Amino acid sequence: MRQLDRRAFVVGAASAGLALGFDVPFGGPTAVRAADGTREVNAWVVIRPDDTVVIRIARSEMGQGTLTGLAQLVAEELECDWSKVTTEYPTPGQSAARKRPWGSFNTGGSIGIRASQQYVRRGGAAARVMLLQAAANEWKVPAVECVAADSVITHAPTGRTVTYGKVAEAAAKLEPPTDVELKDPRDWKIAGRSMKRLDTADKTTGKMIYGIDVRLPGMLSAAIRACPVFGGKLKSFDEAKIAGLKGVGKVMRVGDDAVAVIADTWWRAKTALDALPIVWDEGDNAKVSSASIAGWLEEGLDPAQPAFVGNADGDARGAIAGAARTIEAVYDYPYQNHAALEPLNATALYTPDKCEVWTGTQDGERAFTAVVQASGLPSDKCDVHKVMLGGGFGRRTVPDYVRQAVLIARQMPGTPVKLVWSREEDMTHGRYHPVTQCKLTGAFDADDNLTGLHMRISGQSIAASSTPELLKDGMDPFTFQGVASSGEAFANIGPARLGYTIPHLLIDHSMRNPHVPVGVWRGVNGNQNGIYLECFMDELAHSAGQDPLAFRCKLMANHPKHLAVLDAVAERVGWSSPAPQGVFRGIAQQMGLGSYVAAAAEISVTDTNRIRVHRIVAATDPGTVVNPAQIERQIAGSFVFGLTGLFYGGCTVKDGRIAQTNFDTYNAMRIREMPKVEAIVMPSGGFWGGVGEPTIAVAAPAVLNAYFAATGKRIRSVPLSNLDIVFA
């Protein structure tokens, strides 16, 4: 096995989720054996003698269906029996030692399937070719005379058959093909169909192991507390005050900002930590509040302030200055927490010769880098064992909790330690959805044609906070998700283009980064940009005395895919016909994460502050569909996120810290509040878009536009709970 020294690995892995080049060795003489001793056909496929097909999946599963979808793609090209398919995770340590045959482990931005679909399909196709060749060699016939279906190889001229399990060992010894032909999606039999999830049975029976379920012999538990003010430090703690508490072992400093208690159970560790006197050096950030942040962002809305230009055409400032009339509005969007059901956790076992971690992570390679760095060991002495995530939503792309677990375990060599964050620690030390404000100015000519638009965003940059190497000459292109010109936010994220043609356009960003750390949050910047632009489009339409759908359609002639999904929801919701008595409608559209999406909402309002969302019709064009049923579920799930963010989501800053510490102050949508969701999946082919996140961005603006239709009042601030507006 090829060894990598620690420095070489860390230097290569430091940026952009380990953006290294990788080979895709489909198999061959160097193939290794699976955990049960079965030799792999290639890196993606292991076939046991009983014909069980083990498909290796590098991307993480957290409820979104990526594991099943990728398995479908491999199985489709492999021509195997789907009823005998199971999966396993390779480890990033194995991947690094083998020149990354599984590619990226990153699972965020809805890239799990679309960013790896080509090479996983090639892996399945290569394994099929090798199996066919192995059977042909055994029969001493040309491989072209053999065909495969449902894990059975048939020699067409004679009718002889053999199962995959009987030739898999021989196939693994063959030289892999240098090139393979992939199926046309029109010929798919497993992919493209609504297959049952591979992980459902274990979840419903309680067999599924999440990070918080990991148990190792002799394992101890750790509870941790970091300085509540971001950027603050740990000054001191009085260990003597908890000396002698039952089950408590050690109290230790973790990094420069946290303290941990180790005990025989997590509850004893947590109880002791609660009783531990701690002195923090909170620093100047303790003076920061939501009000001070808002004031700073408001300054950035001044057009005279410098800004990065993300999309421009014509002379927007000139068009506004010379307009027959202008419309102006200011919107804002708060910090939001990921609030996954399973709090952050990791189990680490450190010795001077090896460091292993068991955890739920959205990016196994980034977690692996954290282990290498924190352990001080060479990369070939480290590894990360992925388990099922109890929710990720972007938070588990940042391996801060993995680093902490290793730092703790390093102080207790030979003893496995499970670190579990308390709910309060999880809520107050997140990587939050960025806070922004937006000022929009529209210009009309004398005939009520929209001639100009200036959209000034003021607020935080995700890249500046978490991955500054991705900034482009200081600009964060991801800020313009959904309103960009080319739409290429980052290479792996995919296009998120503006769907309107406006003669004079300027969309810019005054970057202002408070001390609160931000990161990717399901749907990312499309969430606020969808509200800003789509609600303002409604404002412009009503100002011009035009129907909101017709107004949009005039501006979308050059954007047929955007227009197609908008037309689809309008037709399904019955936009051209009167709504039922007391029911009002709103629409919105956007492109995000490579897909075109739209929504139409039907709501009713009681006493101006009680909203019932009856129905949301959603359309998505992801280009190519792997599992239609799973897309429908993802659309419905995305609306839970979108509507939770609209009604309840919002973190405030007081004395430099997040004020919402648990679900009593950071609420979530309930089942009774969920509307009926009608999904329209309309793939147009020729590209691969995301499905788990894009539709989040159109939920809130569709409801807000319906609220205006019902009340004549505009809402430009989220969450609605701050305005005493609630679900009916």
Side-chain angles (χ1 to χ4, degrees), residues 311 313 450 453 455 482-485 496-505 507 529-530 532-538 540-541 548-560 562-563 566 587-591 596-598 698 701 705:
N311 195 351
D313 195 8
L450 183 65
L453 174 67
M455 179 176 177
V483 296
S485 54
R497 292 183 288 270
L498 179 69
Y500 302 109
T501 298
I502 300 168
H504 301 282
L505 177 70
I507 303 177
N529 289 344
Y532 298 159
L533 184 62
E534 286 303 293
C535 288
F536 192 61
M537 278 293 168
D538 249 47
L540 294 173
L549 174 62
F551 181 82
R552 286 173 169 83
C553 289
K554 287 193 300 183
L555 302 173
M556 298 173 73
N558 297 328
H559 309 274
H562 291 82
L563 183 57
L566 185 63
I587 55 171
Q589 67 81 32
Q590 194 187 64
M591 183 186 190
Y596 303 85
V597 297
V698 290
N705 289 336

Side-chain angles (χ1 to χ4, degrees), residues 230 334-336 338 398 430-435 460-467 476 513-521:
F230 301 107
Y335 290 117
Q336 291 190 328
H338 295 84
V398 181
R431 295 295 185 270
Y432 304 89
H433 193 296
V435 62
Q460 279 186 279
S461 155
I462 293 174
S465 178
S466 60
T467 49
D476 181 355
N513 294 311
H515 75 297
V516 177
V518 295
V520 291
W521 187 99

